Amino acid sequence: MEGIPHPIPRTVEEVFGDFKGRRAGLIKALTTDVEKFYHQCDPEKENLCLYGMPNETWEVNLPVEEVPPELPEPALGINFARDGMQEKDWLSLVAVHSDSWLLAVAFYFGARFGFGKNERKRLFQMINEVPTIFEVVSGAGKQPKDQSVTHNNNSSSKSKSSSKMQARQPEPLTKAVKMSPPPKEDDESGEDEEEDDEQGATCGACGESYGTDEFWICCDVCERWFHGKCVKITPAKAEHIKQYKCPGCSGKRARV
């Protein structure tokens, strides 16, 4: 949670300095301090946010209670998706949201202190000169330089431009998770057969049969279905999961 103990930036240079300090803190959390950051994002806790500070530090904390907040707030609930994704994908997802938050904070200051068109343009140009957090965490920022050398040798400006766009484009980090009841072959000949199909579907954790009023999720590896409560996955958490692995496939036991 962030009060405002730091001087409030009022010029383009001061806002950019604030941006760089917060960015450095977030990069530390997602790279050199990643083990500490990972453990602090416990999915069993409430909605958590990752804050970058102007003094190049970071903290994981609950969102501020003040409404509206003094500053734009970072992405809420980053801890919920931690165990449902591969670690590198989860870190990339947090990095993308952190980039968005940094821009929001910088241009909040710009709006608050009346930056004009030229000042906003200069601020964005300064920000655009440094790699994004996503590029640092994923390594994507290194690709355009290597590719530009190759394309310069080939004198192909069109393919160079195309490859740069592809290299900088983050791959999708979210994916619809199978959350509906275990699928069965549809048969419109009668309801009795449909009821038999539903009764035959069982949870891979507790072995109980499917219930129409319960949330289910399917493992993308073994394709077994589980009660959300048995594997501690809520519908809200499932929305952030790119690829769900059940406790058995991920090498962890479900805590029931």
Side-chain angles (χ1 to χ4, degrees):
M1 190 188 309
E2 188 177 7
I4 304 285
H6 309 281
I8 298 178
R10 296 175 182 270
T11 67
V12 171
E13 288 72 21
E14 289 175 345
V15 171
F16 182 60
D18 181 271
F19 173 92
K20 288 197 302 181
R22 295 177 189 275
R23 173 181 174 274
L26 293 169
I27 290 175
K28 285 180 183 178
L30 299 175
T31 55
T32 57
D33 296 346
V34 66
E35 185 174 351
K36 179 181 178 181
F37 169 67
Y38 183 90
H39 287 299
Q40 288 189 17
C41 292
D42 186 352
E44 295 301 315
K45 295 182 179 179
E46 298 182 41
N47 293 307
L48 295 176
C49 300
L50 172 61
Y51 293 91
M53 304 303 184
N55 61 357
E56 301 187 3
T57 60
W58 61 273
E59 71 173 27
V60 172
N61 214 327
L62 296 171
V64 296
E65 297 180 358
E66 181 184 4
V67 178
E70 177 67 20
L71 292 177
E73 282 288 287
L76 182 66
I78 58 173
N79 50 315
F80 289 158
R82 191 196 73 177
D83 290 348
M85 306 172 66
Q86 293 185 2
E87 182 176 338
K88 64 176 184 178
D89 291 335
W90 176 67
L91 292 174
S92 294
L93 176 63
V94 176
V96 168
H97 283 294
S98 297
D99 282 320
S100 300
W101 177 66
L102 286 178
L103 287 173
V105 172
F107 281 86
Y108 162 81
F109 285 129
R112 180 176 177 180
F113 296 109
F115 286 6
K117 178 180 178 180
N118 292 334
E119 291 171 310
R120 294 194 303 270
K121 181 178 179 180
R122 185 154 59 94
L123 174 60
F124 182 78
Q125 288 175 336
M126 295 170 72
I127 291 174
N128 204 38
E129 287 299 313
V130 296
T132 65
I133 299 176
F134 172 81
E135 289 173 334
V136 174
V137 172
S138 67
K142 299 178 181 179
Q143 297 178 12
K145 292 183 179 180
D146 297 338
Q147 291 180 356
S148 64
V149 173
T150 302
H151 288 295
N152 282 332
N153 292 335
N154 294 334
S155 300
S156 177
S157 59
K158 181 177 180 181
S159 59
K160 171 184 176 181
S161 176
S162 175
S163 65
K164 276 191 174 184
M165 291 178 63
Q166 295 175 3
R168 295 175 66 89
Q169 181 68 31
E171 69 174 83
L173 296 176
T174 57
K175 165 187 168 184
V177 181
K178 302 174 185 175
M179 294 184 291
S180 57
K184 298 292 180 179
E185 295 183 0
D186 293 335
D187 189 348
E188 299 179 356
S189 59
E191 297 182 356
D192 292 340
E193 185 172 346
E194 181 179 352
E195 292 179 357
D196 291 340
D197 288 343
E198 291 180 349
Q199 291 175 357
T202 57
C203 172
C206 69
E208 293 185 3
S209 299
Y210 160 70
T212 56
D213 60 342
E214 296 177 304
F215 167 72
W216 286 62
I217 187 167
C218 179
C219 174
D220 287 307
V221 179
C222 67
E223 297 188 349
R224 291 187 301 166
W225 289 85
F226 298 85
H227 289 111
K229 63 183 180 180
C230 291
V231 290
K232 293 191 177 292
I233 298 293
T234 65
K237 291 183 182 180
E239 290 179 0
H240 300 281
I241 297 176
K242 176 184 177 184
Q243 182 184 47
Y244 175 67
K245 293 183 181 180
C246 69
C249 292
S250 62
K252 299 180 180 180
R253 295 185 177 181
R255 291 172 291 176
V256 296

